[in-house]
Amino acid sequence: MLPLPLSLLILSLLPPALADVTIYTTLTTSAGSSAATASSAAYTGYAAFDPTTIAAPAPPSPPQPSTVPIALYAGGMDTLSIPQKGNLLGFSVELSVSDTIIGKNSSVLNVPFLNYLNNIRLRAGAGPILRVGGNSQETETLFVSGLPDGAELDKINQGVGADGVINTPIINFSPELLYVLSNVSELVNAQWYFGLAFNDTAADENALLVAQWAQDVLGDNLLALQLGNEPDLYGDHGKRDPSYNISDYMTDFAKVEGDLMAAPGVERKQTLVGPSICCNWAIGDVLDAGYLTQFGSGLAQVSVQHYPANNCKLSGVIDPEDIFPSYLNHSSAQAFVAPYLAAVPEILAAGKPMVLLETNTASCGGFLGVSDSFGATLWTIDLALQLAWANFTAVLLHTSGTSVYYNPVTPPPGNETRTKQWNTGSTYYAMLAVAETFGSSNVSQIVDLGTWETSIYAPSYAIYENGAPTRVALFNFVSDPSGANDYTATITLSGGSMPASVNVRYLSAPSVSEKYNITWAGQTLSPNGAQSSDGVLHGSLETEQIACDTTNNVCNIPMQAPSFALVFLSQEALQASTPQSGGGEALSFTPTATVGGGATGVDPGVLETSNGGVLGDGSGSTSKESGSRPVVVALAPSAWGVLLLGVLGALAVGW
Ligand SMILES: *[C@@H]1O[C@H](CO)[C@@H](O)[C@H](O)[C@H]1NC(C)=O
Ligand SMILES: *[C@@H]1O[C@H](CO)[C@@H](O)[C@H](O)[C@H]1NC(C)=O
Ligand SMILES: *[C@@H]1O[C@H](CO)[C@@H](O)[C@H](O)[C@H]1NC(C)=O
Ligand SMILES: *[C@@H]1O[C@H](CO)[C@@H](O)[C@H](O)[C@H]1NC(C)=O
Ligand SMILES: *[C@@H]1O[C@H](CO)[C@@H](O)[C@H](O)[C@H]1NC(C)=O
Ligand SMILES: *[C@@H]1O[C@H](CO)[C@@H](O)[C@H](O)[C@H]1NC(C)=O
Ligand SMILES: *[C@@H]1O[C@H](CO)[C@@H](O)[C@H](O)[C@H]1NC(C)=O
Ligand SMILES: *[C@@H]1O[C@H](CO)[C@@H](O)[C@H](O)[C@H]1NC(C)=O
Ligand SMILES: *[C@@H]1O[C@H](CO)[C@@H](O)[C@H](O)[C@H]1NC(C)=O
């Protein structure tokens, strides 16, 4: 292990930032992961950084089988998925917090966020997928000549409704927001979904304007425009008449789709993604209403949104410890995917990719100790792989403000931009693991190997490329330090020979309850616990080589409880999942200073189905260094007195 940057040098003066030096803007004084044992009574800060852990579920008794047989077949297997890309698992970013997460203007991108995205790109060989939208897209307005206050995005709170529920704020934004997204794409090839307002279909001029601008600014990096966010909740949430049903929705969609077809400024007509239903309607019923045929020329993709649980406390409070076990076995992913299985083939047959535009562990902010745990990491990977097997092509994890537990990444809030770094949520690691599971070939097909029939805590998947098995993904959902629930996966290959040895990368943590001491192949994003991330992996990369039993044509892979493992069956497969240095490609962007400040209030109007509060300014300045990828900017001298700077003397590599 390389020394972690614990011993940051504290400098009083620095030369202008250098390309090969990472400057940490934070003086981390907390004790790192030891803080994870703090009691909830002691913690009064933001939910997103709450170090409180809950007890891991008791291990199964008797323990799960100690051997899990896995049979691979040279030439392929039945029920392989469509070819998938390594960027399958990405981010859903609530519009109302998009400026604080992605960047306040196109010259001030958030460097840690670029690194988080770049980590995916380097493993997937394709740009990360992001969606900007959510409930707050419904009342958005684009001001093409900019906002009066010069901001990129303004949130106008709408007070509390008669029912006591806080109204969704109005979002006004300027084209700068789209330029920010475009700049991010330029640096890390990000691909975007962007939301259109759908609150008043009679007045859709601005939605058409957004469509035009998003297409013009983002070009091919725009995947689709989301029309309607969870329309199956409009009736319940007072957005439409309480009786609002699928045929009303079809009428609404037809109105805007028709206007879009006629709008001269909107050049790409097949540009929409919908219906983005979550809760009250079944996808099959929307298809039966003629959705795919009626809107075949306007729809680019088909979407759903879904959270397996909620913490809305509308009908009783759920104790996180009670619900934790329901995330920690393969039934959870299976139950999640089941409602879509019949519809996906019909959607793909119509030529539309199927995407899960928004998900996370639980809506209304998630559960403390669950949504931010290593258990959630394992759950997210299993879910993403299960959806990939069901032929979804994108799965986007919702990311909101500081009042939620489930964010994969969270910038420091306004009052902490000068003292803290970003917080890596446990589920961010799932993005790395999923990216490497598919790798960069774009031809990876996945299959659930059915080992959940041996143990529901030990699902597994195989990746096939061009008919040959190249990787195996293994899970152990059990938390058991005694070793009694460790198992050995015995991988055999029919019709071929197992290699003499395989490479294995483990995703590890001491318990499913762990929040910060999580490593992927020996590397962590949180070298000092909460709020200690610059978006770069720290520590040395540990890929384990495990010798196989060539006499019996079997590879035995040890699986500690808990863990995830990715077994690479060939050197090429390992290479295709590993960031490659050289070729002038930067492995990380260099963060410099955090600037600005000022928390901007609370955005609970979007809390009800999924979202949370609002972040302050966590921006870091960037500019493009001539002729190379690293983004570096000299720190404004005036800020030097305020910031304590640490320097990591080593090259800031992303792996
Ligand atoms: C920032 O505000 C939060 C919430 O009020 C508080 O918990 C935290 O300690 C503050 N941080 C600093 C550095 O003052
Ligand atoms: C971008 O934001 C920075 C920091 O808030 C500010 O100094 C700069 O003037 C802004 N640039 C533009 C073009 O708005
Ligand atoms: C729709 O949203 C816009 C922009 O926020 C707002 O001006 C308008 O009043 C809303 N219309 C309805 C019917 O709610
Ligand atoms: C970001 O976009 C602006 C245009 O708004 C452009 O001038 C600038 O060069 C871009 N920066 C990067 C790093 O792409
Ligand atoms: C949907 O609601 C409309 C009134 O808004 C009603 O006329 C129609 O019968 C309803 N359709 C179904 C299938 O319930
Ligand atoms: C497994 O997960 C399912 C679905 O989430 C849950 O209902 C069940 O209780 C879990 N089983 C165990 C043994 O924890
Ligand atoms: C996914 O697509 C493949 C290839 O078309 C097909 O064989 C498979 O049955 C599909 N899987 C599901 C769950 O629909
Ligand atoms: C995979 O697809 C991405 C676009 O999503 C493309 O940039 C990349 O070159 C492709 N890789 C291969 C190996 O074809
Ligand atoms: C972190 O977890 C690993 C097991 O995954 C354990 O060996 C190590 O001691 C833990 N480190 C700390 C600081 O708790």
Side-chain angles (χ1 to χ4, degrees), residues 308-459:
N310 74 74
N311 189 22
C312 302
K313 302 178 176 136
L314 295 176
S315 48
V317 174
I318 298 169
D319 181 343
E321 282 187 21
D322 291 342
I323 201 167
F324 205 8
S326 72
Y327 293 96
L328 298 174
N329 72 66
H330 191 54
S331 317
S332 184
Q334 289 174 317
F336 188 115
V337 175
Y340 310 118
L341 285 176
V344 178
E346 189 181 341
I347 292 162
L348 299 195
K352 317 293 180 195
M354 178 71 170
V355 300
L356 181 62
L357 213 50
E358 174 178 332
T359 190
N360 214 308
T361 39
S363 62
C364 285
F367 292 102
L368 172 61
V370 173
S371 300
D372 44 3
S373 72
F374 184 61
T377 320
L378 299 177
W379 175 83
T380 303
I381 301 170
D382 194 19
L383 177 66
L385 300 187
Q386 191 71 20
L387 286 161
W389 182 42
N391 293 333
F392 281 65
T393 53
V395 176
L396 306 182
L397 278 189
H398 201 57
T399 309
S400 191
T402 47
S403 63
V404 304
Y405 296 111
Y406 59 50
N407 289 339
V409 305
T410 314
N415 67 339
E416 295 180 346
T417 52
R418 288 165 189 275
T419 53
K420 295 285 169 75
Q421 298 197 74
W422 283 51
N423 194 67
T424 301
S426 61
T427 54
Y428 176 73
Y429 291 90
M431 296 188 187
L432 302 179
V434 168
E436 293 196 21
T437 298
F438 295 106
S440 56
S441 72
N442 298 345
V443 298
S444 291
Q445 294 173 276
I446 192 165
V447 57
D448 184 326
L449 293 166
T451 51
W452 56 273
E453 294 188 54
T454 304
S455 164
I456 56 169
Y457 308 105

Side-chain angles (χ1 to χ4, degrees), residues 116 119 424 428-429 432 523-527 532-533 535-538:
Y116 283 121
N119 293 335
T424 301
Y428 176 73
Y429 291 90
L432 302 179
Q523 299 184 303
T524 187
L525 273 297
S526 297
S532 68
S533 297
V536 175
L537 286 153
H538 292 260

Side-chain angles (χ1 to χ4, degrees), residues 63-101:
Q64 65 182 334
S66 59
T67 300
V68 174
I70 289 178
L72 303 175
Y73 301 86
M77 286 174 74
D78 290 341
T79 77
L80 287 177
S81 74
I82 58 172
Q84 298 283 8
K85 289 182 186 176
N87 61 3
L88 177 111
L89 186 58
F91 291 91
S92 162
V93 180
E94 185 68 36
L95 173 67
S96 59
V97 298
S98 58
D99 58 336
T100 59
I101 291 176

